[in-house]
Amino acid sequence: MNIINRGLILFLTIILASACSTKQELIVDFSNSQIEYSGRIDSSQVKGVELYWSGTSIKINFEGESISALMEDERGDNYYNVIIDNDSLSIFRPDTTKRFYQLASGLSKGKHTIEIFKRTEWNRGQTSFYGFQIKGDPKLLSKPPSRKRKLEFYGNSITAGYAVEDTSGRDSPDSTYTNIYVSYAAITARHFNANSHYTCKSGIGITVSWFPQIMPEIYNRLDPRDPNSKWNFSLYSPDIVVINLLQNDSWLVNMPDSEEFKLRFGTKTPDDEYIINAYQQFVTNIRNHYPKANIICSLGSMDAAKEGSIWIDYIKMAVANLNDKTIYTHIMPYIEATAHPSIKDQEEMANSLIGFIEENIDW
């Protein structure tokens, strides 16, 4: 065999090897337009996207035998649901090393859908996502048409699904047990096949929280930890906004010795007018951002929602003062318990909210 023939064979071998390699592996960069992002996600970065809030998700349609995600977590304390073809769910936790994490393998031929859904809250740190790796006859498919309905939730630990999977009833702070995917909010969103944003944090209130920030100070942030990071409200216009707050206020306004009470109120307990005005102003802020949205001012399912609770009256008075026909009051059922709502409790709340929406709002 002469030198020319040997060179030709070598060249063809390289071309075939390259083609086989390309066929066996496909890298989908985070910036690819066929990736569906949901939630307040920072896409301004050059090399990846940043995930902060509970319930943010990343979804892709593809063909292939396996799929991995290139990710890196700030602290290694965030958990994600991996939902395959809308019927199989597993959990994974990215660590502080930037690497590919296998999400699924041994997949059958044909179309598949995978969603990475953030279970945990923003105090667990942020996660960076850089893209997908698909192997085994890989093919990137078009993302589905945008869902017609849009929801947004502003809430506390009840909305965030805090300790919802802690069946011991001890309200463990371990992030393993927090899962917004089974909260009343996410259940309601899935029922209506609606896109959804979740602006929530355990322990937060409107007038006072169990930590320095209150909801009126962080509701408009992209990165909830950064006062200078502002969310662009024009990027998402919900049809319905659900506000489920004041549970934490109901405790803390009666704790004058706490540091958070002193920070917000000094030595004087806030009166009825102060609380009503604060709630009313927050709802007004939401209305200013979403002039066409239906707003549901809710409460439940913990003790602030008990029959006869003054906190129910505060909400009703604030809504009456606003005199807006598309601002509603809906108090979800009080569920007596010694811990945060269980999965069953969350389902009961979801049924209550779904029923209210179906009966009162045409969307």
Side-chain angles (χ1 to χ4, degrees):
M1 185 179 295
N2 60 40
I3 295 175
I4 294 176
N5 287 340
R6 284 201 300 268
L8 180 60
I9 291 171
L10 178 60
F11 174 76
L12 291 174
T13 302
I14 292 172
I15 293 296
L16 288 170
S18 176
C20 290
S21 175
T22 303
K23 187 179 180 182
Q24 291 303 313
E25 178 180 291
L26 174 64
I27 300 297
V28 182
D29 187 72
F30 76 94
S31 61
N32 194 293
S33 61
Q34 299 310 321
I35 299 176
E36 180 183 1
Y37 293 104
S38 180
R40 293 185 181 185
I41 292 178
D42 185 0
S43 58
S44 65
Q45 305 301 312
V46 177
K47 297 182 180 179
V49 296
E50 305 295 344
L51 288 72
Y52 311 102
W53 295 92
S54 306
T56 49
S57 75
I58 305 167
K59 195 171 185 178
I60 191 173
N61 292 332
F62 69 100
E63 292 181 5
E65 295 176 2
S66 69
I67 184 168
S68 301
L70 183 59
M71 301 180 75
E72 177 184 12
D73 196 72
E74 182 180 2
R75 292 165 45 185
D77 203 17
N78 278 303
Y79 287 83
Y80 288 80
N81 288 336
V82 178
I83 303 138
I84 305 170
D85 298 334
N86 298 314
D87 62 6
S88 173
L89 188 148
S90 61
I91 301 170
F92 92 105
R93 180 180 68 174
D95 57 37
T96 57
T97 303
K98 180 181 176 181
R99 61 184 177 89
F100 281 104
Y101 296 84
Q102 189 171 84
L103 306 176
S105 61
L107 297 173
S108 60
K109 289 185 177 180
K111 175 184 174 181
H112 295 285
T113 298
I114 198 156
E115 181 178 12
I116 306 171
F117 185 98
K118 191 173 188 293
R119 296 162 54 104
T120 41
E121 301 185 58
W122 53 259
N123 63 307
R124 301 294 179 176
Q126 71 188 51
T127 306
S128 301
F129 168 80
Y130 303 98
F132 290 105
Q133 178 192 61
I134 308 170
K135 292 184 177 182
D137 264 348
K139 185 178 180 181
L140 178 63
L141 304 178
S142 298
K143 64 182 179 183
S146 298
R147 284 167 280 188
K148 294 181 179 180
R149 291 170 167 173
K150 295 179 180 179
L151 286 164
E152 184 163 18
F153 296 85
Y154 291 87
N156 48 42
S157 56
I158 301 170
T159 302
Y162 176 84
V164 68
E165 294 185 351
D166 180 9
T167 56
S168 71
R170 292 195 293 266
D171 267 358
S172 172
D174 191 318
S175 59
T176 307
Y177 300 107
T178 293
N179 184 7
I180 193 172
Y181 191 79
V182 293
S183 76
Y184 77 91
I187 294 171
T188 299
R190 289 195 296 276
H191 174 84
F192 289 111
N193 189 30
N195 201 349
S196 51
H197 283 201
Y198 309 94
T199 309
C200 56
K201 174 68 180 68
S202 294
I204 205 164
I206 283 182
T207 64
V208 60
S209 305
W210 294 94
F211 45 86
Q213 298 83 14
I214 55 176
M215 183 60 82
E217 294 171 348
I218 73 163
Y219 84 101
N220 61 349
R221 296 180 186 177
L222 171 59
D223 180 348
R225 304 168 299 177
D226 181 1
N228 298 314
S229 176
K230 299 303 180 183
W231 169 245
N232 182 354
F233 283 91
S234 69
L235 295 176
Y236 186 80
S237 298
D239 304 294
I240 298 175
V241 177
V242 180
I243 301 170
N244 185 2
L245 292 163
L246 291 182
Q247 173 63 40
N248 293 301
D249 306 67
S250 73
W251 280 73
L252 284 161
V253 297
N254 297 310
M255 299 173 65
D257 294 331
S258 75
E259 289 303 314
E260 303 310 331
F261 182 102
K262 295 174 184 177
L263 173 67
R264 295 294 170 182
F265 313 125
T267 58
K268 184 180 178 181
T269 300
D271 59 18
D272 296 351
E273 183 180 6
Y274 180 99
I275 296 169
I276 294 168
N277 286 341
Y279 189 90
Q280 188 172 319
Q281 184 57 56
F282 180 69
V283 178
T284 299
N285 292 342
I286 299 300
R287 166 59 76 221
N288 289 339
H289 288 296
Y290 304 131
K292 296 181 179 180
N294 296 279
I295 300 174
I296 301 174
C297 297
S298 192
L299 193 62
S301 64
M302 299 177 78
D303 54 9
K306 277 184 179 180
E307 185 177 353
S309 166
I310 189 64
W311 297 90
I312 296 174
D313 295 335
Y314 290 154
I315 293 175
K316 290 181 176 179
M317 285 186 274
V319 170
N321 291 341
L322 290 167
N323 192 28
D324 184 327
K325 291 182 179 180
T326 55
I327 299 179
Y328 306 81
T329 300
H330 174 61
I331 308 303
M332 289 183 280
Y334 164 63
I335 302 172
E336 187 172 0
T338 58
H340 277 78
S342 64
I343 293 177
K344 181 181 177 181
D345 298 337
Q346 292 280 3
E347 290 171 348
E348 186 173 339
M349 282 187 286
N351 290 336
S352 172
L353 180 58
I354 289 166
F356 180 84
I357 291 172
E358 289 179 336
E359 184 175 344
N360 293 280
I361 300 176
D362 183 11
W363 61 317

